Amino acid sequence: MNTSKKWLLDFVDLDCTDKAFADGMTLSGSKVEAFAVEGSELSNIVTGRIESLERHPDSDHMWICMVNVGANEDLQIVTGAQNLSVGDVVPVALDNSVVHGGKQIKKGKLRGVESCGMLCSLGELGLTTHDFPYAIEDGIFVLGEDCDRTLGLDIREAIGLNDTVTEFEITSNRPDCLSILGLAREAAATFGKDLKIREPKVHFSGKDVHDFLSVNILAPERCYRYCGAVVENVRVKPSPRWMRERLRACGVRPINNIVDITNYVMLEYGQPMHAFDLRYLKGGSVIVRLAKQGESITTLDGIERALSEEMLVIADEEKPVAVAGVMGGEYSGIMDDTNTIVFESACFNGPTTRLTAKALGMRTESSGRFEKELDPASCMPAILRALELVELLDAGDVINGIIDCDKSTHERRTLPFDPDWVNNFIGIDVSADEQKKILEAIDFEVKDGLIYIPTFRADIEHQADVSEEIARFYGYQNIPNRPLSGVANAKRTPAQKLETLISATLRACGLSEIATFSFISPKHYDKMRLLADSPKRNSVVISNPLGEDTSVMRTTVIPSMLDVLARNYNNRNEAAALFELSNEYIPNGADKLPDENEMVTLGLYGEDVDYFTLKGVAEAVFTACGVTGYDIEPLTDDPTFHPGRTAVVTIDGKQIAILGEVHPLVLKNYDIGVKAYVGQIDFNLLLEYGDTDRKYTALPRFPATSRDLAFVCGIDIPVLKIEKLITEAVGKILESIKLFDVYIGPPILPGLKSVAFSIKMRAADRTLTDEEADAAMKRAIKALDKIGISLRS
């Protein structure tokens, strides 16, 4: 928000420099983005009076002027302007002066006649006819009676172009600071000055406002308060210079006295206002209601806008005349022949205003304030101030009375006044009296052990908020440094610990971590050859996707991994080994959030990579997580994977992982020209069945005994099944079992294979005897013989 220093001085006496003001306000919480003095680029331009005008001898449109610039000094200046008369006081750019835009003016000759400067137009001063309505746009600016016409006076001082404009960055929770009054309150507390606020005084006429106007709020949950007043015999004309100057400094273009009054009050009090032409209010009725189905309105900008039933409007007996809190209708504005007007000062629901403005694509100064939730208590002071200005500017006759339809509560919230808590919380030592003084300086009331919060401070909800108010006016720079107090008990959850362990394990295996989007295109389900009735095709659909490629939440991470593998392959990376810890999103009914299943997804390709490489990586994860007792079974019916080179890992009947080579048709769909391998491990099952609690085991004191056994079995029998049977049969003395040979071929019969294991046994309390070792081997051979697996001869 841009703020006029001259305007601010009406409410608080400041005796500091502009830099000190900016620094002080920033330190106390009202951040200053920048400040500048109006017209600071103008240099060496003064007021001068036209003493004589003569035609240029070599031009039919130029004049030779003698201009008095004070101290009885007359300058000869040549100009082409046609709007000058003897006696006019005008801006004179002297030799070596600078006008708007940085253009330098020097003494010279125009068609052989010396010109000792230049007479200036509004544009050359950086102004427009909105700033001085009586001036002409394409001629020299002739100063009117509202300017200081003292000869030789700096033009900036003569026309009031010397205000300091300070730009504040106002946070969204402080709408009270979107006003001169609010910033004056902050400045007074910051610099220890008194805040000067006076009550507006209005001299009403004898007529009754109820004879002109009625107000009815039909949506009290969206309109908290509506104040209406009537002014008749309106005299529309330009505003006085002081008002135009202040509006210009705050970035608002002056228009006419009535419109300027509404803008002036909005800037001064932070309360948006609107003025209706009473002629266009059917029956003199103001009805605040929700729009009806099919209604539309043509707004002040001339655009017809369709209204929805969720939008709040100001209506008369027949039609909407304004979009509440956003913009007035086409015929609600002030025209040259307007005779009677209605001033509106209302308070509308913030979210309703914001959604309406967004839906209509017309965010305004008014809606920008209302959407931050204004204080209903400011409606009445604001409308009184507007009526006071009407009388001050002689803009009309104020009808007696103000209609106040108030649906708000005026209760002030309270918090306990606890100075010790504040001191301990911030780390300062400020007395109770000093804390009370700080709070009262910003309109808080402290009595009977309670803090009464002003209604315009909706951001104060907790004791910590009060502490912030104390801290910022005590001075953040005055708070002493101190070590952090308390004990940090934060620690990782079991899931976070496991994630860290898995990531470290996979990186140690040579894999690189990736991160992909949770949104995918449903076309991926076709590319990975999911069956038409596959439950994985049932995805959560994004209601407002960025595009078709990100329109659904993925039910499997495999398409994302294949995308990354394809990108690496097409960028000519000879090999890739990747992993991702991320979620799948499984729909859980229309009214519930989806289930998020965390998965560890693996992806590999390269010359030395095969199924067993992938299996080894998965087993490294199982070992690191302490997962044991799992089974590995072949999988042949998943269309995404190669039917002969894929397996599922189960534990207690639950699928903990799927590992395999990607189907050649899927590889073709993803434009991957080599064999690729993908695996998925269920993180939640790793967490459920894992045991990462490592226990110390002493080095063995007794020697181990080894035996090698070779068996003949069916070619389809998994080796893991044989290992588990041997492990159960040998019992507690088994230390390790390792497969060291698989053979298919003569003399082994077709359909069979030979598998050989190295078995190491050890007892913790003695040296095993050969008899004990042989007995363990006999138990293993017998256990395998029961299922048709024989010892190879």
Side-chain angles (χ1 to χ4, degrees):
M1 174 178 172
N2 290 347
T3 304
S4 158
K5 183 178 181 180
K6 291 182 179 179
W7 201 346
L8 205 64
L9 290 174
D10 283 355
F11 301 100
V12 58
D13 293 325
L14 297 173
D15 52 6
C16 58
T17 64
D18 294 337
K19 177 70 165 57
F21 173 73
D23 291 344
M25 293 295 285
T26 298
L27 280 174
S28 67
S30 302
K31 183 183 177 185
V32 173
E33 288 287 328
F35 66 88
V37 179
E38 288 183 316
S40 55
E41 66 175 337
L42 305 180
S43 172
N44 209 17
I45 304 174
V46 299
T47 55
R49 184 176 62 235
I50 306 295
E51 300 291 347
S52 66
L53 288 167
E54 294 183 8
R55 287 285 186 183
H56 193 294
D58 292 330
S59 173
D60 58 357
H61 73 281
M62 300 183 78
W63 295 87
I64 302 173
C65 308
M66 294 303 297
V67 184
N68 184 348
V69 292
N72 295 321
E73 180 184 0
D74 288 348
L75 298 178
Q76 178 175 289
I77 296 178
V78 178
T79 180
Q82 306 300 310
N83 67 311
L84 296 177
S85 302
V86 174
D88 287 346
V89 178
V90 296
V92 182
L94 305 177
D95 185 29
N96 287 322
S97 60
V98 178
V99 298
H100 178 64
K103 182 179 179 182
Q104 192 169 18
I105 305 300
K106 289 183 173 292
K107 182 188 298 186
K109 289 186 177 183
L110 291 175
R111 296 197 180 183
V113 177
E114 185 180 51
S115 181
C116 299
M118 182 181 77
L119 306 184
C120 299
S121 66
L122 281 174
E124 285 151 345
L125 300 177
L127 302 173
T128 70
T129 52
H130 291 288
D131 301 298
F132 290 92
Y134 55 79
I136 63 174
E137 193 167 2
D138 56 353
I140 300 301
F141 173 33
V142 179
L143 275 63
E145 296 298 328
D146 58 353
C147 299
D148 190 335
R149 294 156 59 90
T150 303
L151 301 184
L153 187 64
D154 187 298
I155 192 63
R156 295 168 57 238
E157 183 179 347
I159 65 175
L161 190 62
N162 56 355
D163 200 353
T164 298
V165 179
T166 305
E167 181 186 352
F168 286 91
E169 179 187 322
I170 308 300
T171 54
S172 59
N173 67 327
R174 291 299 305 276
D176 58 298
C177 286
L178 288 171
S179 66
I180 300 295
L181 269 174
L183 290 171
R185 183 182 296 108
E186 294 288 307
T190 299
F191 295 98
K193 302 293 184 179
D194 292 331
L195 182 64
K196 301 178 293 184
I197 299 180
R198 62 174 191 81
E199 295 292 331
K201 291 181 171 53
V202 183
H203 303 91
F204 295 99
S205 69
K207 297 181 181 179
D208 188 349
V209 67
H210 294 89
D211 295 336
F212 294 81
L213 181 69
S214 65
V215 175
N216 190 11
I217 298 177
L218 299 184
E221 73 285 353
R222 311 214 182 179
C223 177
Y224 309 131
R225 191 174 187 181
Y226 194 102
C227 298
V230 176
V231 177
E232 65 175 350
N233 301 323
V234 170
R235 297 174 280 280
V236 180
K237 55 187 177 182
S239 301
R241 196 191 89 183
W242 62 266
M243 179 174 280
R244 301 196 305 268
E245 284 178 8
R246 293 182 175 189
L247 292 175
R248 179 187 66 226
C250 293
V252 176
R253 185 183 67 183
I255 298 176
N256 60 52
N257 53 356
I258 301 299
V259 176
D260 291 351
I261 285 171
T262 61
N263 287 331
Y264 190 91
V265 173
M266 178 183 70
L267 293 170
E268 188 169 70
Y269 281 75
Q271 171 63 45
M273 294 191 63
H274 188 68
F276 293 97
D277 191 326
L278 187 61
R279 290 177 298 177
Y280 300 107
L281 281 177
K282 185 71 174 178
S285 295
V286 167
I287 304 170
V288 187
R289 60 170 173 83
L290 295 176
K292 299 176 182 177
Q293 186 176 9
E295 279 190 323
S296 64
I297 185 173
T298 301
T299 47
L300 279 170
D301 54 8
I303 300 175
E304 184 176 358
R305 304 178 189 273
L307 303 173
S308 73
E309 296 176 62
E310 293 299 313
M311 296 178 180
L312 191 68
V313 298
I314 311 299
D316 59 18
E317 293 177 349
E318 296 180 347
K319 63 188 181 305
V321 295
V323 182
V326 182
M327 186 180 286
E330 182 178 22
Y331 296 107
S332 70
I334 304 304
M335 308 173 191
D336 291 339
D337 62 343
T338 297
N339 179 263
T340 306
I341 62 172
V342 174
F343 273 123
E344 167 195 281
S345 178
C347 188
F348 304 110
N349 174 264
T352 297
T353 306
R354 182 181 64 82
L355 292 173
T356 299
K358 182 179 180 181
L360 296 177
M362 50 187 299
R363 194 171 188 271
T364 61
E365 281 283 345
S366 175
S367 68
R369 283 171 162 79
F370 278 123
E371 68 186 25
K372 296 174 177 62
E373 290 286 7
L374 299 183
D375 178 17
S378 67
C379 293
M380 184 58 70
I383 200 168
L384 286 171
R385 177 60 168 155
L387 297 176
E388 181 184 50
L389 289 170
V390 167
E391 294 181 342
L392 181 64
L393 273 55
D394 190 31
D397 302 324
V398 180
I399 297 299
N400 187 38
I402 296 174
I403 296 178
D404 184 10
C405 195
D406 190 359
K407 305 295 183 181
S408 66
T409 174
H410 294 271
E411 290 184 9
R412 299 172 69 180
R413 286 177 290 111
T414 61
L415 288 171
F417 180 55
D418 191 344
D420 292 336
W421 192 95
V422 171
N423 283 333
N424 184 62
F425 183 72
I426 304 174
I428 56 178
D429 184 14
V430 179
S431 68
D433 288 342
E434 183 64 22
Q435 290 190 29
K436 179 180 178 182
K437 181 179 178 182
I438 290 173
L439 293 173
E440 289 177 343
I442 50 175
D443 280 0
F444 287 63
E445 186 179 359
V446 181
K447 65 178 181 180
D448 302 328
L450 292 175
I451 302 171
Y452 291 82
I453 301 163
T455 54
F456 58 80
R457 290 301 302 273
D459 60 307
I460 306 296
E461 297 179 346
H462 309 287
Q463 195 73 24
D465 298 324
V466 175
S467 299
E468 182 183 2
E469 300 302 299
I470 302 294
R472 65 192 186 95
F473 290 112
Y474 172 74
Y476 292 121
Q477 71 279 11
N478 297 322
I479 299 176
N481 295 328
R482 64 170 181 173
L484 291 174
S485 59
V487 178
N489 294 317
K491 59 182 180 180
R492 287 177 174 159
T493 64
Q496 290 171 329
K497 290 179 181 178
L498 193 63
E499 286 177 347
T500 303
L501 176 63
I502 291 171
S503 296
T505 301
L506 291 173
R507 285 194 295 270
C509 291
L511 278 70
S512 300
E513 186 169 8
I514 64 172
T516 59
F517 289 115
S518 300
F519 313 125
I520 63 171
S521 166
K523 293 179 180 177
H524 277 290
Y525 298 144
D526 296 326
K527 293 175 71 174
M528 62 184 293
R529 302 179 70 240
L530 284 184
L531 299 175
D533 59 350
S534 172
K536 290 185 177 180
R537 287 184 177 270
N538 181 25
S539 305
V540 176
V541 180
I542 307 301
S543 58
N544 55 342
L546 296 175
E548 195 276 340
D549 288 345
T550 55
S551 60
V552 299
M553 303 289 287
R554 64 188 177 195
T555 57
T556 171
V557 189
I558 289 177
S560 303
M561 178 59 74
L562 288 173
D563 256 350
V564 179
L565 291 177
R567 191 177 304 119
N568 277 270
Y569 173 76
N570 288 297
N571 281 315
R572 300 185 180 182
N573 289 332
E574 294 180 357
L578 311 172
F579 76 94
E580 180 176 12
L581 275 161
S582 54
N583 290 347
E584 298 175 339
Y585 301 87
I586 310 303
N588 192 19
D591 300 329
K592 295 181 180 179
L593 292 173
D595 292 330
E596 300 184 27
N597 300 332
E598 188 169 1
M599 306 295 290
V600 183
T601 306
L602 311 173
L604 304 92
Y605 73 80
E607 183 178 353
D608 298 326
V609 174
D610 57 18
Y611 164 79
F612 294 103
T613 307
L614 179 66
K615 177 174 175 285
V617 172
E619 287 178 333
V621 173
F622 295 147
T623 300
C625 297
V627 175
T628 59
Y630 52 84
D631 293 309
I632 301 179
E633 300 288 344
L635 179 69
T636 59
D637 59 353
D638 191 317
T640 303
F641 292 93
H642 192 295
R645 301 168 188 167
T646 304
V648 292
V649 183
T650 60
I651 185 166
D652 288 347
K654 302 174 185 177
Q655 181 176 309
I656 191 173
I658 181 171
L659 309 166
E661 181 182 321
V662 181
H663 196 287
L665 293 179
V666 175
L667 292 174
K668 183 178 179 181
N669 291 339
Y670 279 91
D671 196 22
I672 300 175
V674 295
K675 291 181 179 180
Y677 302 85
V678 170
Q680 277 198 309
I681 307 173
D682 191 313
F683 177 84
N684 293 326
L685 291 180
L686 287 177
L687 187 63
E688 180 181 349
Y689 288 98
D691 181 9
T692 57
D693 186 14
R694 299 292 186 259
K695 295 180 175 61
Y696 168 76
T697 302
L699 292 173
R701 295 170 55 195
F702 301 96
T705 301
S706 298
R707 296 285 190 275
D708 292 343
L709 294 177
F711 297 93
V712 176
C713 63
I715 198 168
D716 294 330
I717 295 179
V719 170
L720 182 61
K721 184 175 182 179
I722 302 174
E723 283 187 3
K724 294 180 74 171
L725 288 171
I726 294 173
T727 300
E728 291 172 1
V730 173
K732 293 182 180 180
I733 62 173
L734 179 68
E735 184 173 275
S736 67
I737 178 171
K738 183 177 180 181
L739 174 74
F740 69 86
D741 181 60
V742 177
Y743 175 72
I744 299 175
I748 305 302
L749 297 176
L752 300 177
K753 64 181 177 182
S754 169
V755 291
F757 298 92
S758 177
I759 302 167
K760 182 183 289 187
M761 296 166 284
R762 192 194 308 264
D765 56 350
R766 67 189 187 282
T767 300
L768 288 177
T769 64
D770 287 342
E771 290 77 8
E772 288 177 304
D774 292 342
M777 294 302 96
K778 289 177 181 178
R779 291 196 301 272
I781 293 168
K782 184 177 181 180
L784 292 174
D785 188 59
K786 289 181 179 179
I787 61 171
I789 299 176
S790 60
L791 187 68
R792 182 177 174 181
S793 59

